[in-house]
Amino acid sequence: MKNLVVLFMLFFVFSCKEKNVTEKAQVIWHPYNDSLEIAGNANHKIARMQYKLIQSKVLDKNDVFLPLYDEVSKISELDYEKWKPFVLEQNIPTIQANIKDGNLSYENLVLFYLYRIYKYELNNETTLNTILALNKDILKEARACDQELARNPNSGRHLIYGMPILLKDNIDTFGMNTTAGAIALMANETDDAFIVERLKEHGALILGKVNLSEWAYFLCKGCPVGYSAVGGQTLNPYGRKVFETGGSSAGSGTSIAANYAVAAVGTETSGSILSPSSQNSVVGLKPTIGLLSRSGIVPISSTLDTPGPMTKNTIDNAILLSAMTGKDLSDVKSVDTFKNYTEALIKPASLEGKRFGAFETLMASDSIYAATIATIRSLGATVVVFTPEELELPGFLSILNIDMKNDLPSYIEQNVKNKKVVKVTSIEDVILFNKQDSLTRIPYGQGLFEGIVADTTSSESLKVIIADLEQKSRIYFDEVLERDNLDAILSINNYHAGYAAAAKYPALTVPMGYKTTGEPISLTFIAKQFEEDKLLQLGAAFENATKLRKMPKGFD
């Protein structure tokens, strides 16, 4: 009897071990040697694209993709092709109409995007290194949306309902760690940021988290945009290792360009939505400071930070924006709004009779911009060409330095739930943590973090700098806006993002075409505070008249 018991116990232990080995042995992605790719970029004409690494040294994609693999692997090519015309490059109202008509379900919609993500991100030759985390419950949540729709088909819902959304990985999300791309925060567990709460309240589905320039591109000097120690080097679908992704919301831009989700949320301090949106031929809105809450977002600057929508078109941008608005009592700059951004775009938009300002220097230096201005004039708009007085922004860096020195400890104290695991509490702590393994944690150094510690600007001096730069930057725009009664000023990409940031003015960038190399370029509309509705109307009119966005080749 004792022998039988011993044998049974041995069999049980062996079975358990065998089961564990089998589970651990399931591998759907293999790391690769990226040395040839790195060597191939060694002489890139853009110095910061001369990469030191492309593949993350710490992220195992099996951990990200295995939890949903069984269900995703059941999708056939026939399923995908059946859903494709109802989803790919379609706007949210069209997708919602297709679901209501029974052409697909919310579950099908999620599976469609997961199919694309798995297809391209698990292939080392096509990966954009953009997905850092996936919501393990996403399909269950999608099925719940389908069930609710079946129960109450005529119930009024926000258009964002059931739409899969990706979040930049500096936005707190319950159930998915918020890393800011930094190994120091790799285990950071949080509740939902205010804007994530708002999205969920409206029925949006949080599909996952995407890569970014580490610490929102405020860690290293001259390093590649879109790089983080957690996610590796984000790549541009219009030219992997050829064109920059823009940053810091690199994953938000690349993922939407590649049709990995309906829309994404990025964040901007100065250019971090406008730049990656432009580089990836998507529509990006940097809102007025305070229109969207910043609570639960890993900060650079409480003076200048804001989240914002990044989408394939203007109507989706308005829908996503509206789903995130609401006054947050924990954010002192948060405001309420009663504007209906979506309704503003339902009516046909026109540029007839609109008035714009165009930079003379850009007219002379950029042929695509000049041709676009001619097109806008042909559509019935008046364009005033102007040359503003040169304006420097002395002390701008100190705003970021001093704010982050104060705002990061506050974020950690208020938002990090597992402080026994996430042991850093300050910039100094992060610097020391990174030095313990500099090759893995900071291959491009941490010059900007060191600059934060070295900056001795007083709080009184900082207030003066902020007020001075805000006033000067507003005059920079207001002088021509008011003199010539303009609706907006037209720029390129993030060329004037610093002035818009200091002025706390909103800016919207819309695809303007492609250079002869195939690199995207965008037209950026800038207006006064809280004129997002006007910007979206103008952007929609331009978009509808030109229809310039094209999908990246190889991702169709």
Side-chain angles (χ1 to χ4, degrees):
M1 185 68 177
K2 287 183 178 179
N3 289 338
L4 285 174
V5 171
V6 171
L7 284 172
F8 178 80
M9 290 178 67
L10 287 172
F11 174 77
F12 179 76
V13 170
F14 176 78
S15 297
C16 289
K17 285 184 177 180
E18 186 180 52
K19 184 174 182 287
N20 289 335
V21 169
T22 302
E23 287 177 348
K24 290 179 181 178
Q26 188 179 12
V27 174
I28 57 174
W29 172 80
H30 295 275
Y32 69 104
N33 187 337
D34 59 6
S35 58
L36 289 177
E37 291 184 303
I38 294 167
N41 267 50
N43 296 312
H44 199 288
K45 63 181 180 180
I46 300 174
R48 62 185 182 185
M49 288 192 72
Q50 296 169 7
Y51 304 134
K52 292 185 178 180
L53 73 160
I54 294 173
Q55 183 177 228
S56 169
K57 292 183 178 180
V58 298
L59 184 69
D60 185 342
K61 290 188 179 182
N62 290 295
D63 295 336
V64 177
F65 291 97
L66 270 173
L68 291 167
Y69 178 70
D70 285 346
E71 295 197 70
V72 176
S73 63
K74 294 174 185 175
I75 306 168
S76 69
E77 186 71 19
L78 286 175
D79 290 328
Y80 173 73
E81 291 298 329
K82 181 178 70 175
W83 301 329
K84 193 173 181 179
F86 302 116
V87 181
L88 192 66
E89 287 290 299
Q90 301 298 327
N91 62 32
I92 290 174
T94 301
I95 292 173
Q96 292 284 19
N98 283 327
I99 291 171
K100 189 174 182 180
D101 291 343
N103 293 318
L104 73 160
S105 64
Y106 291 114
E107 182 182 1
N108 296 156
L109 179 64
V110 170
L111 286 170
F112 175 86
Y113 287 121
L114 287 174
Y115 182 91
R116 290 183 63 82
I117 290 170
Y118 278 60
K119 176 181 177 179
Y120 295 115
E121 290 302 299
L122 290 176
N123 183 339
N124 291 328
E125 294 183 358
T126 59
T127 182
L128 305 176
N129 290 329
T130 194
I131 301 294
L132 297 188
L134 289 171
N135 176 4
K136 297 174 184 178
D137 296 322
I138 188 71
L139 289 169
K140 181 174 70 174
E141 293 167 6
R143 290 175 194 127
C145 287
D146 286 322
Q147 291 164 4
E148 170 59 24
L149 179 64
R151 282 193 300 267
N152 301 293
N154 299 315
S155 178
R157 298 180 182 86
H158 195 286
L159 279 166
I160 207 69
Y161 181 85
M163 296 296 103
I165 307 297
L166 288 166
L167 303 176
K168 183 178 180 180
D169 196 25
N170 62 346
I171 302 171
D172 286 356
T173 314
F174 179 76
M176 286 180 278
N177 292 353
T178 299
T179 72
I183 295 174
L185 293 185
M186 203 165 175
N188 178 25
E189 297 176 0
T190 69
D191 291 320
D192 287 330
F194 182 87
I195 59 168
V196 178
E197 290 178 348
R198 294 292 292 154
L199 286 169
K200 289 182 177 180
E201 286 169 11
H202 290 301
L205 301 174
I206 306 305
L207 179 58
K209 310 287 285 290
V210 290
N211 206 358
L212 69 161
S213 305
E214 188 168 342
W215 294 108
Y217 205 57
F218 204 61
L219 171 67
C220 42
K221 294 180 178 179
C223 50
V225 290
Y227 169 79
S228 76
V230 171
Q233 182 61 51
T234 315
L235 301 172
N236 190 322
Y238 288 92
R240 294 175 75 256
K241 299 165 290 179
V242 179
F243 305 132
E244 288 192 296
T245 59
S248 62
S249 305
S252 303
T254 58
S255 62
I256 298 311
N259 279 273
Y260 285 177
V262 166
V265 182
T267 66
E268 174 154 331
T269 307
S270 176
S272 285
I273 289 173
L274 299 178
S275 167
S277 295
S278 302
Q279 284 296 119
N280 293 281
S281 201
V282 300
V283 176
L285 174 67
K286 175 256 176 185
T288 305
I289 304 301
L291 182 61
L292 296 180
S293 163
R294 292 89 50 80
S295 296
I297 298 176
V298 181
I300 291 180
S301 167
S302 54
T303 304
L304 304 177
D305 288 349
T306 179
M310 297 172 68
T311 58
K312 291 182 285 292
N313 51 70
T314 51
I315 184 66
D316 289 1
N317 208 276
I319 291 167
L320 182 53
L321 174 68
S322 68
M324 294 188 288
T325 57
K327 185 173 178 60
D328 175 13
L329 297 178
S330 63
D331 182 347
V332 295
K333 294 187 179 177
S334 177
V335 300
D336 210 343
T337 180
F338 301 98
K339 291 185 177 181
N340 189 325
Y341 300 103
T342 305
E343 191 174 285
L345 296 196
I346 292 175
K347 301 173 184 176
S350 170
L351 293 180
E352 181 76 36
K354 303 301 181 184
R355 298 178 59 81
F356 299 102
F359 290 92
E360 185 175 21
T361 51
L362 297 183
M363 290 285 286
S365 63
D366 194 289
S367 60
I368 297 176
Y369 179 81
T372 300
I373 297 303
T375 297
I376 288 172
R377 283 173 168 156
S378 73
L379 294 169
T382 298
V383 181
V384 176
V385 179
F386 72 104
T387 302
E389 291 186 16
E390 288 190 18
L391 176 64
E392 295 185 358
L393 299 175
F396 188 89
L397 184 59
S398 285
I399 298 175
L400 310 189
N401 285 340
I402 304 305
D403 272 356
M404 193 168 189
K405 186 184 294 186
N406 297 322
D407 295 341
L408 181 60
S410 178
Y411 164 84
I412 292 171
E413 175 61 31
Q414 294 173 19
N415 296 277
V416 177
K417 296 168 67 176
N418 53 335
K419 295 183 180 65
K420 290 183 179 179
V421 180
V422 178
K423 296 182 179 179
V424 295
T425 61
S426 65
I427 296 293
E428 291 88 347
D429 285 352
V430 178
I431 289 173
L432 290 173
F433 175 85
N434 287 338
K435 285 181 177 179
Q436 291 171 14
D437 186 357
S438 59
L439 288 177
T440 301
R441 297 172 183 175
I442 45 169
Y444 299 101
Q446 49 186 343
L448 292 177
F449 263 31
E450 290 163 350
I452 292 173
V453 175
D455 196 323
T456 58
T457 303
S458 67
S459 57
E460 292 76 15
S461 297
L462 186 66
K463 289 177 184 178
V464 173
I465 291 170
I466 291 170
D468 181 58
L469 294 189
E470 180 179 307
Q471 180 185 35
K472 288 178 178 177
S473 295
R474 289 190 179 185
I475 291 171
Y476 180 85
F477 293 119
D478 290 354
E479 192 170 67
V480 64
L481 282 169
E482 294 172 1
R483 183 192 68 205
D484 294 304
N485 192 29
L486 303 181
D487 291 291
I489 289 173
L490 304 176
S491 181
I492 297 175
N493 295 8
N494 62 325
Y495 286 14
H496 295 86
Y499 301 117
K504 299 173 185 171
Y505 278 4
L508 176 76
T509 194
V510 180
M512 182 169 62
Y514 303 85
K515 302 174 185 177
T516 55
T517 59
E519 183 176 15
I521 184 171
S522 291
L523 184 67
T524 300
F525 299 76
I526 303 170
K528 290 190 176 185
Q529 279 188 304
F530 301 109
E531 291 189 337
E532 285 81 4
D533 52 341
K534 178 197 284 187
L535 288 178
L536 286 163
Q537 286 175 326
L538 296 172
F542 174 72
E543 175 187 72
N544 293 336
T546 57
K547 300 186 187 304
L548 291 167
R549 171 175 158 77
K550 299 175 184 176
M551 284 191 294
K553 293 178 181 178
F555 289 85
D556 50 12

